[in-house]
Amino acid sequence: MHLDLSGKTALVTGSSQGIGLAIATGLARAGARVAVNGRKQSTVDEAVARVRAAGGEAVAAVADVASEQGAADLAAQLPEVDVLVNNLGIFGAEAPLEISDDEWRRYFEVNVLTAVRLTRTYLPGMTGRGWGRVLNIASDSALVIPAEMIHYGVSKTALLGVSRGFAKEAAGTGVTVNSVIAGPTHTGGVEDFVYQLVDRSLPWEEAQREFMRLHRPQSLLQRLIEPEEIANMVVYLSSPQASATTGAAVRVDGGYVDSIVP
C-alpha cells in the first residue's frame, strides 16, 4: 500500500521528541509538509533538522499550544492544515488521594482543551475544502484507568469523547476525526516514569521487563511499543486510504486492553 500525502500540510503538536517526532517523521516520509511544534526554538529546530535528514519536508512551528494565546500564535504562523495530529500531552504518577484540584485542571487543560482549541481552529478550513484528517493521540489509560495516574487516564477518556463528537460535526464533509489509543510506549519520558515505579539501579532492559511484569501484565506484546509503531498507524489514518474510518478509537496498544472492541 502506497500512502501518499504529497501536497498536504500536517501539524503535529508536541513533536520535538518522542511519539510526536516519530509521527512527524512518518508523515514527512509519506510526502507531507510537516509543521514541527514545541515551546523552545532550539529543540524545534533540532527536530526539524532530524525530519529533514530522514528525507522529509519540515518547518518550525514554535508555540505553547497548551494556552489560548499559544494556540492563536500558532494559527497566525500556520493558517491552514490538512492533517492535524493532537499529540501534546502530559503524564506522571501521583497517589490518587493526593492529586490536587489544580493538578486535575492542568491535566484537563493540556490533554483535552489543547486538542479542542486546535480542532476548533482548523476543522472549518478542512470541511470547507472537502478533505482533512484530525487525529487525537489517546492512551490505553483512557480505557484501563491506572491507579497511579487517575487524572491522566480520565483526561484521555475525555479525549475519546472529543474525537467522537467532532467526527459527528464533520459528518459527510470528507474530513475524518479519529483517536489513536497508544499503549505503553518507549520514550525518554516513559523511561523516567518507569523508574518512578521500579528500582532505579536496574539496567534499562531489566527495568522495562520489571515494569511490564508488575504494572502492565495485560500486555500481549510483553514489551514497550516503539514510537515508530504508533506513527505507522497515524500515517495510515492520515492517508486517503483511510477515508472510511472516522469517529473511531483505533488501538495500537500491544493487546494491553483486554477487549475485542475499544
Side-chain angles (χ1 to χ4, degrees), residues 194-204 206-207 210-211 214:
V194 166
Y195 279 120
Q196 289 181 42
L197 299 173
V198 302
D199 186 351
R200 287 186 178 273
S201 67
L202 293 175
W204 168 246
E206 188 176 342
E210 185 73 355
F211 169 76
L214 294 176

Side-chain angles (χ1 to χ4, degrees), residues 139-192:
S139 166
D140 57 85
S141 296
L143 304 177
V144 185
I145 305 292
E148 74 276 6
M149 48 180 184
I150 295 174
H151 51 340
Y152 171 74
V154 169
S155 71
K156 291 299 185 176
T157 306
L159 194 58
L160 299 183
V162 166
S163 300
R164 182 69 183 180
F166 278 118
K168 292 180 178 180
E169 172 63 21
T173 66
V175 178
T176 66
V177 184
N178 292 291
S179 298
V180 173
I181 298 177
T185 305
H186 180 198
T187 66
V190 167
E191 287 191 15
D192 293 339

Side-chain angles (χ1 to χ4, degrees), residues 12 18-28 34 85 87 137 227 230-231 234-235:
V12 185
I19 293 173
L21 179 56
I23 292 170
T25 303
L27 291 170
V34 179
V85 182
N87 168 73
I137 307 304
I230 307 298
V234 173
V235 173

Side-chain angles (χ1 to χ4, degrees), residues 230-247:
I230 307 298
N232 290 340
M233 180 61 76
V234 173
V235 173
Y236 166 68
L237 290 172
S238 300
S239 74
Q241 283 88 337
S243 55
T245 303
T246 192

Side-chain angles (χ1 to χ4, degrees), residues 49-75:
R50 291 178 65 179
V51 174
R52 290 175 178 169
E57 181 182 359
V59 296
V62 179
D64 180 4
V65 295
S67 68
E68 290 183 63
Q69 184 58 56
D73 292 343
L74 180 61

Side-chain angles (χ1 to χ4, degrees), residues 13-223:
T13 64
S15 50
S16 62
Q17 61 183 347
I19 293 173
L21 179 56
I23 292 170
T25 303
L27 291 170
R29 283 176 172 160
R33 171 180 174 264
V34 179
V36 176
N37 166 252
R39 293 180 297 173
K40 296 181 179 179
Q41 187 74 54
S42 59
T43 55
V44 171
D45 286 345
E46 182 179 342
V48 166
R50 291 178 65 179
V51 174
R52 290 175 178 169
E57 181 182 359
V59 296
V62 179
D64 180 4
V65 295
S67 68
E68 290 183 63
Q69 184 58 56
D73 292 343
L74 180 61
Q77 296 177 55
L78 198 67
E80 293 183 352
V81 300
D82 303 294
V83 177
L84 168 63
V85 182
N86 289 308
N87 168 73
L88 178 67
I90 55 174
F91 67 94
E94 192 163 354
L97 298 180
E98 296 176 10
I99 305 170
S100 67
D101 286 359
D102 285 344
E103 194 71 344
W104 276 100
R105 293 186 189 99
R106 186 170 76 96
Y107 271 71
F108 190 81
E109 183 80 26
V110 176
N111 292 355
V112 183
L113 283 184
T114 296
V116 170
R117 290 190 192 100
L118 292 178
T119 303
R120 200 168 55 209
T121 296
Y122 290 114
L123 187 61
M126 295 180 188
T127 57
R129 294 187 297 275
W131 197 93
R133 300 286 185 263
V134 178
L135 280 302
N136 293 316
I137 307 304
S139 166
D140 57 85
S141 296
L143 304 177
V144 185
I145 305 292
E148 74 276 6
M149 48 180 184
I150 295 174
H151 51 340
Y152 171 74
V154 169
S155 71
K156 291 299 185 176
T157 306
L159 194 58
L160 299 183
V162 166
S163 300
R164 182 69 183 180
F166 278 118
K168 292 180 178 180
E169 172 63 21
T173 66
V175 178
T176 66
V177 184
N178 292 291
S179 298
V180 173
I181 298 177
T185 305
H186 180 198
T187 66
V190 167
E191 287 191 15
D192 293 339
F193 174 67
V194 166
Y195 279 120
Q196 289 181 42
L197 299 173
V198 302
D199 186 351
R200 287 186 178 273
S201 67
L202 293 175
W204 168 246
E205 289 302 322
E206 188 176 342
Q208 176 185 186
R209 289 193 297 271
E210 185 73 355
F211 169 76
M212 297 300 287
R213 183 181 71 83
L214 294 176
H215 298 282
R216 299 293 184 269
Q218 305 98 311
S219 171
L220 303 182
L221 204 59
Q222 297 186 357
R223 64 167 173 82

